Amino acid sequence: MGDLELLLLPGEAEVLVRGLRSFPLLEMGSGGWSQQHENLEKLNMQAILDATASRGEPIQELLVTHGKIPTLVEELIAVEMWKQKVFPVLCKLEDFTPQNTFPIYMVVHHEASIINLLETVFFHKEVCESAEDTVLDLVDYCHRKLTLLVARTGRGGPQEEEESPHSTPMQELQVQAELMEFEIALKALSVLRYITDCVDSLSLSTLSRMLSTHNLPCLLVELLEHSPWSRREGGKLQQFQGGRWHTVAPSEQQKLSKLDGQVWIALYNLLLSPEARARYCLTSFAKGQLLKLRAFLTDTLLDQLPNLADLQGFLAHLALAEPQPPKKDLVFEQIPEIWERLERENKGKWKAIAKHQLRHVFSPSEQDLRQQARRWAETYSLDVLEAVAPERPRCAHCGAEASKRCSRCQKEWYCCRECQVKHWGEHGKTCVPAAQGERAK
């Protein structure tokens, strides 16, 4: 990786972390907000490089030291609210006819940037502890995302972006946003799993929120049942990894995917830790849902996650136990406040915010767009993007690890020439020379 390990010098990283702050919804997309978005992208990439190189994680340490995890959680929920409350209003304004959607894409992408950074750093328990009261808000956020993930079951996963000469900039943005929303939900699953790793140190309010209010164990069972990150396409098994659907080679199909593993570990933490078991009410509904897990606990799975043998024993005991009646204890609990506070502060102002941003943020001049494009080109070089990729690319034909790229479009990957030739009948329909694709944009 070489010099890429120091995308940011330690002093530079500390300055960027210290400068992180929360922005009002009205200022999203503004100059100061855009600069922070770029800074977050740099911190995000440096955190991934540090984790990949296994040489200490200074970004995580800086975020904890300067108390910035709550700031990231608030920014995450603020942009989620903007997408739900302001963006739809913006799209319905009569004079909303953007010729370039890049400024809007930056705001939409902001949520993905933050959740990706949180996924990288939440692996460490001290990060969860430094979230303080905002861990409640983060649990609610993850629950919202996973609920949407379950709700899309049956509709299939999102389709990958396909360039069309007839699509408008806004139609292209909507396709990108749908794919991004799917990826965000998968990142939220990982963050939730890391929170469950800290179940022994979570507050009673957080445990109650996870187990009673949201009944996360039952939601996780549904995710495991429907596995929205897997699909059958043309008789082949595909899994969503690294932002794309990849065909799984027959020899790899019994291998536990990372996302399935996250669900199993979260279930293990929520069902077998003493703190959680003491607070989880095993009603007849919960019992029925949890016993569905027995069908998935095969010898192949247990070989890959041996700790699940304890969960298997728990389920055997649960099958013989009488269900518990719902608890009616009077409990004083802390509740999440970021979403409600932001909604209260901006209630009735959604249209005014949309009009202000259309005038001052989303109607940039050509010069502004060129300057922004230059800044992003400096942030994202091809070497950096490949270095922070979550995993090695996969062959578009057989699903094996790939090292060769289509020389014409530079997008599709292959493990060998033979696979490329076999796949050309399908790929040739959409293969556009890289230079021509850039001119079209």
Side-chain angles (χ1 to χ4, degrees):
M1 205 174 291
D3 295 339
L4 288 177
E5 292 182 5
L6 290 177
L7 180 67
L8 291 173
L9 295 172
E12 293 175 315
E14 182 167 12
V15 169
L16 297 188
V17 169
R18 289 171 67 97
L20 294 176
R21 67 182 181 92
S22 300
F23 282 82
L25 264 64
L26 185 69
E27 294 184 29
M28 285 197 175
S30 64
W33 182 93
S34 296
Q35 183 59 60
Q36 176 160 295
H37 178 70
E38 290 176 31
N39 294 344
L40 272 171
E41 285 293 324
K42 292 175 182 177
L43 291 170
N44 201 354
M45 289 187 288
Q46 185 62 59
I48 294 172
L49 290 173
D50 291 336
T52 305
S54 301
R55 58 177 191 85
E57 300 187 27
I59 302 302
Q60 165 252 318
E61 294 168 6
L62 287 170
L63 289 170
V64 171
T65 300
H66 296 292
K68 294 299 182 179
I69 297 298
T71 303
L72 290 178
V73 174
E74 179 156 350
E75 274 289 276
L76 179 70
I77 294 172
V79 74
E80 180 197 19
M81 178 169 287
W82 182 90
K83 286 166 65 176
Q84 288 190 25
K85 304 287 188 179
V86 179
F87 187 45
V89 176
L90 180 71
C91 293
K92 292 177 183 176
L93 294 178
E94 290 182 6
D95 47 350
F96 181 68
T97 54
Q99 297 304 307
N100 192 301
T101 56
F102 183 68
I104 303 174
Y105 176 83
M106 280 182 60
V107 181
V108 173
H109 183 261
H110 193 58
E111 185 180 4
S113 298
I114 299 173
I115 194 66
N116 195 66
L117 179 57
L118 291 177
E119 182 196 28
T120 303
V121 301
F122 253 78
F123 178 78
H124 303 274
K125 289 189 176 183
E126 57 267 29
V127 174
C128 186
E129 292 168 1
S130 73
E132 300 175 342
D133 294 344
T134 61
V135 74
L136 272 168
D137 298 272
L138 190 54
V139 165
D140 267 29
Y141 171 88
C142 293
H143 175 259
R144 288 193 292 272
K145 295 300 177 183
L146 298 188
T147 301
L148 289 173
L149 200 56
V150 170
R152 71 178 302 137
T153 302
R155 293 190 288 137
Q159 297 300 313
E160 293 178 4
E161 299 174 41
E162 291 185 6
E163 295 180 2
S164 169
H166 308 295
S167 59
T168 66
M170 277 307 298
Q171 288 172 333
E172 292 175 2
L173 178 62
Q174 287 166 353
V175 172
Q176 293 169 338
E178 182 184 2
L179 181 63
M180 203 182 304
E181 193 65 32
F182 185 68
E183 293 184 71
I184 288 169
L186 300 183
K187 299 286 185 184
L189 171 60
S190 294
V191 171
L192 181 66
R193 175 252 144 143
Y194 293 137
I195 293 175
T196 67
D197 286 345
C198 306
V199 72
D200 56 343
S201 59
L202 294 175
S203 68
L204 292 179
S205 294
T206 304
L207 275 177
S208 178
R209 196 84 182 165
M210 296 170 76
L211 298 170
S212 302
T213 307
H214 297 318
N215 198 350
L216 287 180
C218 288
L219 180 61
L220 292 170
V221 171
E222 287 193 69
L223 279 174
L224 210 53
E225 271 191 295
H226 302 298
S227 190
W229 45 84
S230 300
R231 71 181 185 185
R232 288 276 173 183
E233 195 77 12
K236 295 181 179 179
L237 175 65
Q238 293 187 334
Q239 290 180 345
F240 193 85
Q241 299 172 352
R244 300 190 66 182
W245 289 101
H246 297 277
T247 300
V248 182
S251 59
E252 298 283 309
Q253 290 186 8
Q254 294 299 313
K255 187 177 178 181
L256 184 68
S257 73
K258 177 184 174 182
L259 291 164
D260 284 304
Q262 298 285 41
V263 177
W264 280 113
I265 295 171
L267 280 166
Y268 181 92
N269 292 336
L270 290 175
L271 295 175
L272 296 186
S273 68
E275 292 79 6
R277 287 184 68 172
R279 295 195 64 81
Y280 188 43
C281 184
L282 289 164
T283 62
S284 56
F285 172 76
K287 178 180 176 179
Q289 288 294 101
L290 295 178
L291 289 179
K292 293 178 181 179
L293 295 173
R294 292 187 297 178
F296 298 96
L297 286 166
T298 61
D299 291 340
T300 304
L301 176 61
L302 292 173
D303 287 342
Q304 296 175 74
L305 277 179
N307 285 353
L308 293 184
D310 295 334
L311 180 59
Q312 192 176 43
F314 166 80
L315 293 173
H317 180 268
L318 177 63
L320 302 175
E322 288 293 324
Q324 301 170 355
K327 293 181 179 178
K328 298 181 180 180
D329 300 338
L330 179 62
V331 181
F332 291 97
E333 294 179 353
Q334 189 177 1
I335 60 172
E337 62 88 28
I338 295 177
W339 179 278
E340 289 188 8
R341 171 170 53 79
L342 290 174
E343 196 167 36
R344 187 171 60 250
E345 291 171 354
N346 296 282
K347 189 175 182 180
K349 302 176 184 176
W350 312 119
K351 191 169 185 178
I353 292 172
K355 286 184 174 180
H356 171 85
Q357 292 180 333
L358 177 60
R359 247 187 342 264
H360 300 287
V361 177
F362 300 134
S363 301
S365 65
E366 285 295 322
Q367 183 179 358
D368 291 338
L369 284 172
R370 280 196 294 270
Q371 289 177 347
Q372 185 68 63
R374 270 198 300 272
R375 288 202 302 271
W376 276 73
E378 292 169 3
T379 301
Y380 290 106
S381 69
L382 184 60
D383 288 341
V384 170
L385 290 175
E386 290 188 348
V388 301
E391 58 179 34
R392 292 289 301 275
R394 296 278 177 176
C395 177
H397 180 68
C398 71
E401 278 197 5
S403 58
K404 305 181 187 334
R405 203 195 308 242
C406 173
S407 59
R408 191 164 184 258
C409 69
Q410 297 293 310
K411 290 183 178 180
E412 207 68 273
W413 289 84
Y414 298 96
C415 63
C416 61
R417 176 69 178 167
E418 184 182 358
C419 279
Q420 184 175 8
V421 171
K422 289 180 178 178
H423 192 246
W424 178 250
E426 180 181 341
H427 176 53
K429 301 172 186 175
T430 57
C431 182
V432 178
Q436 181 181 329
E438 288 301 315
R439 287 196 299 271
K441 291 178 183 178

